[in-house]
């Protein structure tokens, strides 16, 4: 048989090529080409040579690759921690901003409430002042003389439904005291009984006390109180001071 037709030799050349490739991958040059193995030994040789790169890769994986993976893991953890910290800082910033906004809103609301309260108080003061001013404007000012005393007495009498006119009051005052609020009768029967007639309309104490109108001074000597009490008595006794033309 010629070498080219020999099956074993053909397989040997192919196996030798595989062996050379495996040796080149792992750096092994110790295989010999002098022996021509049979089919079984050729398969074993191929398996052995094929296993060499795997063994070398396994060694690389168990050392350098593991170190690389560990490094990548460490870098990932650092990055994850940085991202977590950044997220926490952003959340804290958002929370602080929300808190500041809420505080500002509360402050603005308190200021608005205080302003509204101040405005209400100012309006109330203005109303009180206006009412007082109007009341003062409506309150007449009476002269401190006979004319003023009669006019003030007439306003009080009107509020208490006591009849009487300026003319009737003035006429009786001029007859009884000539318009002197300090006039006193110390010679008639009343004076002898210890209750002299006093004032503009010469009223005795028991009559003044019985017909005194609240809001006026409790004194016979006060001209306005004297007129009002006397007119109240005259209204009860004669219907009105206008009807009195003599001692009463």
């Amino acid at each position: 048989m010629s070498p080219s037709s020999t099956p074993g030799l053909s397989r040997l050349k192919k196996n030798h090529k595989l062996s050379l490739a495996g040796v080149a991958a792992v750096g092994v040059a110790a295989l010999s080409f002098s022996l021509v193995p049979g089919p079984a030994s050729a398969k074993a040789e191929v398996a052995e040579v094929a296993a060499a790169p795997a063994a070398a890769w396994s060694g690389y994986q168990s050392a350098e690759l593991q170190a690389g993976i560990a490094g990548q893991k460490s870098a990932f953890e650092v990055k994850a921690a940085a991202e977590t910290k950044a997220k926490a800082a952003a959340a804290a910033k958002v929370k602080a901003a929300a808190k500041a906004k809420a505080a500002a809103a509360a402050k603005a609301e308190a200021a608005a409430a205080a302003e509204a309260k101040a405005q209400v108080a100012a309006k109330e003061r203005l109303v009180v002042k206006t009412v007082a001013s109007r009341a003062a404007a409506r309150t007449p000012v009476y002269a401190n003389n006979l004319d003023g005393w009669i006019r003030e007495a007439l306003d009080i009498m009107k509020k208490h439904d006591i009849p009487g006119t300026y003319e009737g009051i003035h006429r009786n005052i001029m007859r009884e005291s000539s318009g002197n609020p300090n006039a006193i009768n110390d010679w008639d029967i009343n004076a002898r009984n210890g209750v002299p007639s006093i004032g503009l309309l010469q009223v005795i104490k028991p009559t003044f006390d019985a017909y005194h109108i609240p809001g006026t001074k409790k004194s016979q000597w006060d001209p306005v109180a004297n007129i009002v009490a006397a007119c109240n008595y005259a209204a009860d006794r004669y219907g009105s001071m206008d009807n009195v033309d003599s001692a009463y």
Side-chain angles (χ1 to χ4, degrees):
M1 291 179 124
S2 65
S4 59
S5 61
T6 306
L9 181 57
S10 176
R11 287 194 302 271
L12 178 60
K13 288 182 180 179
K14 185 178 181 180
N15 290 339
H16 274 238
K17 289 179 181 179
L18 291 173
S19 298
L20 288 173
V23 170
V26 298
V28 180
L31 294 176
S32 173
F33 291 91
S34 60
L35 296 177
V36 180
S41 60
K43 290 181 180 180
E45 185 179 352
V46 170
E48 183 180 352
V49 172
W57 173 251
S58 178
Y60 171 78
Q61 184 181 21
S62 62
E64 296 179 7
L65 183 59
Q66 292 296 329
I69 292 174
Q72 290 180 0
K73 182 178 180 182
S74 177
F76 176 79
E77 290 174 347
V78 170
K79 183 178 179 182
E83 290 177 350
T84 301
K85 185 176 181 181
K87 288 180 181 179
K93 186 176 181 180
V94 170
K95 185 176 180 181
K99 186 176 180 181
K101 185 177 180 180
K107 186 177 180 181
E109 185 177 355
E115 178 64 19
K117 186 176 180 181
Q119 289 180 359
V120 170
K123 288 181 180 178
E124 289 177 350
R125 287 194 298 271
L126 180 60
V127 169
V128 171
K129 185 177 180 180
T130 302
V131 170
S133 178
R134 290 176 179 174
R138 288 195 300 266
T139 302
V141 178
Y142 304 101
N144 189 27
N145 54 30
L146 182 58
D147 178 73
W149 300 331
I150 294 174
R151 294 184 184 282
E152 185 175 357
L154 283 169
D155 285 344
I156 296 172
M157 290 164 59
K158 184 177 181 180
K159 293 177 182 178
H160 293 273
D161 297 323
I162 300 172
T165 64
Y166 185 98
E167 185 279 329
I169 295 171
H170 185 270
R171 173 168 42 85
N172 280 282
I173 285 175
M174 296 309 293
R175 188 190 67 253
E176 292 291 334
S177 65
S178 300
N180 180 10
N182 296 317
I184 182 171
N185 184 331
D186 54 5
W187 53 267
D188 67 2
I189 186 63
N190 289 322
R192 289 195 296 271
N193 290 333
V195 284
S197 300
I198 294 173
L200 291 175
L201 285 168
Q202 293 293 285
V203 183
I204 63 175
K205 186 72 164 57
T207 300
F208 178 83
D209 290 344
Y211 290 95
H212 171 261
I213 295 299
T216 62
K217 293 182 179 180
K218 195 96 185 250
S219 170
Q220 293 167 267
W221 301 103
D222 180 77
V224 175
N226 186 285
I227 294 172
V228 174
C231 288
N232 192 25
Y233 165 73
D236 185 46
R237 184 80 179 267
Y238 304 103
S240 172
M241 183 61 76
D242 294 348
N243 300 330
V244 178
D245 291 311
S246 61
Y248 62 106

